[in-house]
Amino acid sequence: MAQPVMYPGQAPPGQAGYPPPGQQVMYPGQQVYSGPPPVQGQMMPPGQAMMHPGQAMMAPQPMAMMPPNIGGAGDILLGLERVFIVQKVNMIEAVTGGLYEQKNTYYIQDSNGKHLMFVKEKSTQICRQCCAPDHPLELNFYPSVQGMEQYPTSNVPPVMSALKQGCCDKCTGCFACTPSCVDEMQVYEGGAQLEHDLERTCLGFNEFTCCCMDSSPCFFNFPKAANPFTSILEPLGGGGCQSGLSVMSRAINKETDFIWDRPADSIAYVRGPCVFGGCSEYCVDAHFNVESERYPGAAIYKKAPDELKDYARTMFTDSDVYEVVFTPQMNAKDRASLIASALMVDYKFFEDFVPGCMPCPKGCEVESTPKGVKIHITLFKCSVYGCLCPCKVTIPLENDSNN
């Protein structure tokens, strides 16, 4: 019996993983020729395969949508003078006055508004509702393609991940007097995840459940098998009366890095202003100067609104806009580190939106009293050794009991 002719790369008929006899393998970009049979010696059109008599047509297979030439997060930022980080408005969070905390999403754009990357927060619902903005979280950076605002994250792996510990791992948001009270973030290439720590317990529990929400571990650790290319650490004392964050091109050393000053090998120090937040957000930019010998002149700005829609977003949501200024000598990892530092600034200083039973403008709180109400207006905030201290004025609107 005559054996069928085997072509290079063709498997015997019926072998697992190969098409059945009479069916041809179609390669990406190849089309099926459906015209009249070609005569002998005639060339087929480019990219088309000839169908033999009795041969079945293979249905086109869906291909994964992968953007071309994706490098790391810093590679996407090369050659840019500045970028803008725009936080997405969460409508449920805005309508509830901040009572329901949602995961943050950020869009990274160039000066022309073209989307370069978007950042999605990953966190457990219990930690987010109970501890935000001091909750543990993962920030995954995904590339945007052809100016698209979003891209299917199931098909595109993250180019960078930033991990931050929180409650119960740390008691942040108060005076930064011990290593357990300072904020820290580690940044990794590609995807990285916090690891659940079930050995540590809080009041005898290593995980907790609330209402209908999924259970969440109490403690998280940075991944042991991955090495970060950047670490962002708040110094002991929080920088005094000017907030500060040390940026290092290595992992955090818990034995030597928790000091009252920046580590000696830090590549940059992000120094914040004395006054920021509150009602000052409506008027002036908050300037976070990047002190570095490697790239002097870099900076992070928390932008004040300049249009009516921006004022509305600033008044009723915690959605913010940041401008990150690069310098020409900054390499890819330096640029990625500065982007992560800007997000660290957002979570540490500008995400403490006070929830209320009714939507109130940012910087304004309404307190009910037996005689009426009191309106508390936060003019600005000061960072005092790591603790955010508001400067407020109170306007009483109470009925006179003598009338």
Side-chain angles (χ1 to χ4, degrees):
M1 180 178 179
Q3 297 294 329
V5 179
M6 304 300 297
Y7 296 96
Q10 185 177 2
Q15 183 171 325
Y18 294 89
Q23 187 170 351
Q24 186 174 357
V25 178
M26 303 298 296
Y27 299 94
Q30 188 177 12
Q31 302 176 359
V32 176
Y33 179 75
S34 56
V39 297
Q40 187 175 2
Q42 181 179 352
M43 299 296 294
M44 295 295 299
Q48 292 184 343
M50 182 177 65
M51 302 297 296
H52 300 282
Q55 183 176 1
M57 181 184 299
M58 185 178 181
Q61 299 295 324
M63 298 180 62
M65 298 176 61
M66 293 296 293
N69 301 326
I70 287 182
D75 297 331
I76 300 176
L77 305 173
L78 285 176
L80 298 176
E81 180 181 352
R82 68 191 69 235
V83 296
F84 293 87
I85 303 176
V86 181
Q87 185 176 353
K88 179 183 177 182
V89 175
N90 293 320
M91 295 306 300
I92 297 179
E93 187 174 322
V95 171
T96 59
L99 286 174
Y100 185 82
E101 182 72 22
Q102 292 186 281
K103 301 176 184 178
N104 286 353
T105 300
Y106 302 87
Y107 298 112
I108 301 177
Q109 308 171 353
D110 62 10
S111 301
N112 299 321
K114 178 183 178 181
H115 291 267
L116 305 172
M117 288 185 290
F118 69 96
V119 187
K120 299 191 71 173
E121 174 191 329
K122 180 181 178 182
S123 58
T124 63
Q125 188 172 2
I126 294 180
C127 292
R128 194 169 60 252
Q129 302 304 328
C130 300
C131 305
D134 301 315
H135 59 293
L137 57 89
E138 305 167 7
L139 296 175
N140 292 317
F141 293 70
Y142 298 94
S144 294
V145 177
Q146 297 179 354
M148 295 171 58
E149 293 188 359
Q150 292 188 354
Y151 200 81
T153 57
S154 59
N155 293 332
V156 178
V159 294
M160 186 174 82
S161 299
L163 312 182
K164 186 177 84 71
Q165 287 184 319
C167 299
C168 299
D169 299 298
K170 289 180 170 291
C171 184
T172 56
C174 60
F175 293 104
C177 51
T178 66
S180 61
C181 300
V182 300
D183 264 316
E184 58 182 309
M185 176 183 285
Q186 298 197 149
V187 187
Y188 302 80
E189 294 183 357
Q193 297 180 348
L194 289 171
E195 297 177 351
H196 300 170
D197 188 347
L198 300 180
E199 296 182 358
R200 290 185 289 170
T201 60
C202 178
L203 301 178
F205 297 93
N206 55 22
E207 62 180 6
F208 51 88
T209 306
C210 179
C211 301
C212 59
M213 294 184 284
D214 296 334
S215 61
S216 172
C218 298
F219 300 95
F220 297 86
N221 293 326
F222 291 114
K224 299 178 181 178
N227 292 321
F229 70 87
T230 291
S231 299
I232 305 167
L233 178 66
E234 179 186 15
L236 289 178
C241 293
Q242 279 188 289
S243 57
L245 296 171
S246 298
V247 183
M248 299 171 289
S249 59
R250 56 172 175 81
I252 295 174
N253 188 331
K254 297 186 179 297
E255 300 295 330
T256 60
D257 290 340
F258 290 101
I259 57 178
W260 291 79
D261 196 0
R262 71 186 77 176
D265 61 344
S266 60
I267 61 175
Y269 187 80
V270 181
R271 187 181 297 276
C274 296
V275 173
F276 56 88
C279 292
S280 68
E281 292 188 34
Y282 302 118
C283 308
V284 295
D285 296 345
H287 178 201
F288 289 80
N289 186 37
V290 180
E291 301 174 358
S292 174
E293 296 180 355
R294 292 177 52 170
Y295 38 87
I300 300 172
Y301 295 92
K302 161 71 170 59
K303 302 296 291 181
D306 55 3
E307 297 182 3
L308 183 59
K309 63 178 182 179
D310 297 330
Y311 276 99
R313 178 181 60 197
T314 302
M315 290 177 65
F316 297 106
T317 73
D318 60 357
S319 175
D320 301 312
V321 178
Y322 293 87
E323 179 184 4
V324 181
V325 180
F326 302 124
T327 59
Q329 62 267 35
M330 294 179 68
N331 58 33
K333 289 188 176 181
D334 290 339
R335 294 167 184 258
S337 301
L338 200 56
I339 291 294
S341 301
L343 295 180
M344 182 70 165
V345 166
D346 182 56
Y347 275 98
K348 182 164 183 60
F349 302 111
F350 298 101
E351 280 291 302
D352 58 337
F353 185 65
V354 178
C357 297
M358 57 178 296
C360 295
K362 183 182 293 184
C364 179
E365 304 172 45
V366 179
E367 177 188 358
S368 298
T369 65
K371 296 182 180 181
V373 297
K374 291 183 179 180
I375 300 177
H376 304 281
I377 299 177
T378 302
L379 300 179
F380 55 85
K381 298 176 184 178
C382 299
S383 178
V384 181
Y385 289 89
C387 183
L388 299 183
C389 301
C391 178
K392 296 183 178 182
V393 296
T394 300
I395 303 175
L397 298 178
E398 300 177 341
N399 297 324
D400 190 352
S401 57
N402 295 327
N403 294 335

